[in-house]
Amino acid sequence: MKILVVGAGGREHALAWKLAQSPKIQLVYVAPGNGGTHLDSRLRNVPITDPVALAEFVKQEGIALTVVGPETPLAAGIVNIFRDQDLKIFGPTREAAQLESSKDFAKSFMQRHGIPTAEYQTFSDSAAAHAYIDAKGAPIVIKADGLAAGKGVVVAMDLAEAHAAIDMMLSDNRLGDAGARVVIEEFLDGEEASFIVMVDGKNILPLATSQDHKRLQDHDQGPNTGGMGAYSPAPIVTPSMHARVMREIIVPTVHGMAADGIPFTGFLYAGLMIAADGKVKTLEFNCRMGDPETQPIMARLKTDLVDVMEHAVNGTLDQIELEWDRRTALGVVMAATGYPDAPRKGDQISGLPHETDSQIVFHAGTTHEDKKLVTAGGRVLCVVGLGDSVRMAQKEAYAALDHIHFDGMQFRSDIGWRALKRPT
Ligand code: AMP
Ligand code: GLY
């Protein structure tokens, strides 16, 4: 059979790479794909991004099912468009994707259904927002309501920073419509983890846990990014924490969406903040898999992903179990110079190592120009290592990364530090 993956990042390369391993697969299309999906003979890039044109392409090619990677086409209603034409697609509808595309929707949903999250209030009037900040004090967190490509959250450690964030979003309109409403919420202290499940409207299938590294530089310094590295599993999510997250967050969310008449289908990603006392709160929902979390998660998945996707689109996720590689997978992102603000493009990439059982390179911002592989975006590659411990996985990843070169490359040298710091 043929499958289509929508998107162009490292997440989509990892999903397509895994789907293509299935004996059921004839060809995996990636729209629009990247330099890495272009290189793999089992994958074929398709230069289409418009959802209506993609639905036409799927009918023409007899593609059996479509998996959507990024949030933008989901928020634009690609699932609604495909379902209207009886095409099988895994992802949330435009309405369900509001869990990610509107912070205000997500917060009021959580409040209504008793799902633990930071205390908050929503504002579109700047005077009222400034007054609320003065009343609450710092640290405090300001979030643009809409999708802002990672630029919409300001964790303000003092009042001046908080007021500046309000001015930036509500008065100067620097994030456009996305920042025309803001959620102001309580600052939460603790350790973050990514908790991703698959949902078919009713049944929930949890994926392996993972942890991301949001800051650009070592020791969690520098600006926030889309994610500079991730590993799976995340040791902070112990079996009892896993049960707690399912009970307090995931199950009430899936039931709540169904009860509200907006059943959730697709990957559901809860960004967690786990406090020192073991209490857990939801920082955010994403209606898709994480990037770079997907790369180490897919590297560990042993079950045929095509089987899983068929159950997901047929509403039978209760009939399949996932099997995971017992090793840790750890992915290090290599980013272009200037990332995250103004990444430079066009630098030639050399030294990509061959894939082995313990080293895999997933592409993100890469493309082919004159038969050369060059950088084409902020996050360029994610180099994944697998090993029997976090330390061994880290060694594998950095050993593979050592061969790779492009001018201006930036990467963190401490991916996995939280897991390494934990007492064993
Ligand atoms: P979000 O897109 O809502 O996950 O926010 C991006 C990042 O900002 C998160 O990964 C956290 O590191 C941080 N953050 C968001 N909300 C809070 C909060 N209430 N308290 C502390 N940090 C937060
Ligand atoms: N790595 C965080 C995200 O995908 O949102």
Side-chain angles (χ1 to χ4, degrees):
M1 70 195 264
K2 299 176 185 169
I3 285 195
L4 169 67
V5 175
V6 177
R11 166 183 47 214
E12 289 76 29
H13 188 191
L15 287 169
W17 169 88
K18 183 63 200 169
L19 287 164
Q21 289 170 12
S22 169
K24 291 183 174 172
I25 283 289
Q26 188 185 342
L27 192 58
V28 179
Y29 292 96
V30 191
N34 60 38
T37 53
H38 170 80
L39 282 175
D40 189 328
S41 59
R42 301 164 306 173
L43 313 180
R44 184 166 309 157
N45 287 356
V46 183
I48 305 176
T49 49
D50 173 59
V52 174
L54 276 174
E56 272 316 304
F57 179 77
V58 159
K59 283 187 277 187
Q60 223 170 52
E61 295 296 316
I63 292 170
L65 75 93
T66 299
V67 182
V68 187
E71 63 277 18
T72 310
L74 294 167
I78 189 171
V79 171
N80 307 60
I81 290 167
F82 272 53
R83 287 209 187 132
D84 281 347
Q85 303 178 53
D86 284 328
L87 301 173
K88 299 244 183 206
I89 185 163
F90 188 59
T93 59
R94 181 196 292 115
E95 295 71 30
Q98 289 178 94
L99 276 182
E100 175 169 4
S101 66
S102 168
K103 298 265 187 208
D104 177 55
F105 177 92
K107 294 296 285 190
S108 63
F109 171 83
M110 286 190 269
Q111 200 170 50
R112 203 163 58 243
H113 293 282
I115 296 158
T117 189
E119 193 196 308
Y120 83 106
Q121 220 163 297
T122 303
F123 296 90
S124 43
D125 175 65
S126 68
H130 285 299
Y132 183 76
I133 285 170
D134 282 329
K136 289 288 172 184
I140 194 159
V141 181
I142 294 97
K143 300 184 174 185
D145 176 54
L147 294 177
K151 297 197 166 73
V153 175
V154 176
V155 180
M157 297 317 285
D158 56 49
L159 283 177
E161 215 184 326
H163 288 299
I166 295 299
D167 287 338
M168 184 267 280
M169 294 182 200
L170 288 182
S171 309
D172 304 342
N173 237 2
R174 290 247 289 281
L175 300 177
D177 281 352
R181 271 200 305 181
V182 299
V183 163
I184 304 182
E185 70 175 31
E186 165 200 10
F187 172 83
L188 300 175
D189 212 1
E191 186 170 330
E192 287 179 55
S194 306
F195 200 100
I196 307 173
V197 301
M198 294 176 72
V199 188
D200 65 12
K202 186 171 80 220
N203 304 296
I204 303 169
L205 184 65
L207 301 183
T209 59
S210 58
Q211 205 165 29
D212 187 13
H213 299 61
K214 291 245 160 85
R215 301 296 194 105
L216 181 69
Q217 288 147 6
D218 283 7
H219 313 298
D220 290 341
Q221 300 296 305
N224 258 324
T225 69
M228 292 299 290
Y231 54 90
S232 171
I236 189 168
V237 186
T238 58
S240 70
M241 179 57 67
H242 195 281
R244 181 172 188 163
V245 173
M246 288 298 289
R247 187 176 65 239
E248 295 182 4
I249 296 173
I250 302 293
V251 170
T253 299
V254 173
H255 287 173
M257 290 294 280
D260 288 355
I262 321 174
F264 192 93
T265 50
F267 293 106
L268 177 65
Y269 168 148
L272 307 176
M273 186 67 95
I274 302 172
D277 63 3
K279 288 211 175 73
V280 58
K281 289 189 176 170
T282 317
L283 281 180
E284 63 163 346
F285 285 118
N286 294 317
C287 61
R288 51 170 174 83
M289 283 203 75
D291 190 338
E293 290 94 327
T294 306
Q295 292 85 318
I297 291 174
M298 284 302 126
R300 291 186 60 221
L301 182 62
K302 289 188 142 178
T303 314
D304 186 328
L305 185 58
V306 173
D307 287 343
V308 182
M309 284 299 166
E310 287 184 309
H311 282 291
V313 294
N314 292 327
T316 52
L317 278 177
D318 54 330
Q319 291 171 28
I320 190 162
E321 270 179 46
L322 299 181
E323 197 192 337
W324 300 98
D325 193 322
R326 297 179 66 87
R327 294 177 297 173
T328 292
L330 183 144
V332 182
V333 168
M334 301 183 78
T337 184
Y339 177 73
D341 291 332
R344 184 173 77 198
K345 297 179 183 176
D347 288 301
Q348 190 175 344
I349 303 164
S350 62
L352 288 184
H354 286 294
E355 185 176 315
T356 68
D357 174 54
S358 58
Q359 296 179 334
I360 311 157
V361 180
F362 293 113
H363 291 232
T366 70
T367 191
H368 283 266
E369 260 171 29
D370 308 327
K371 301 212 166 120
K372 281 187 288 199
L373 185 70
V374 299
T375 62
R379 291 186 292 173
V380 176
L381 301 167
C382 179
V383 184
V384 175
L386 290 117
D388 288 330
S389 62
V390 179
R391 177 73 70 196
M392 305 266 282
Q394 192 189 51
K395 266 199 182 138
E396 288 288 335
Y398 283 103
L401 180 145
D402 227 22
H403 297 281
I404 304 172
H405 177 84
F406 52 91
D407 285 345
M409 61 191 188
Q410 312 186 64
F411 58 87
R412 283 181 60 157
S413 61
D414 65 347
I415 300 303
W417 71 271
R418 282 185 189 277
L420 289 172
K421 193 187 70 176
R422 283 178 79 81
T424 42

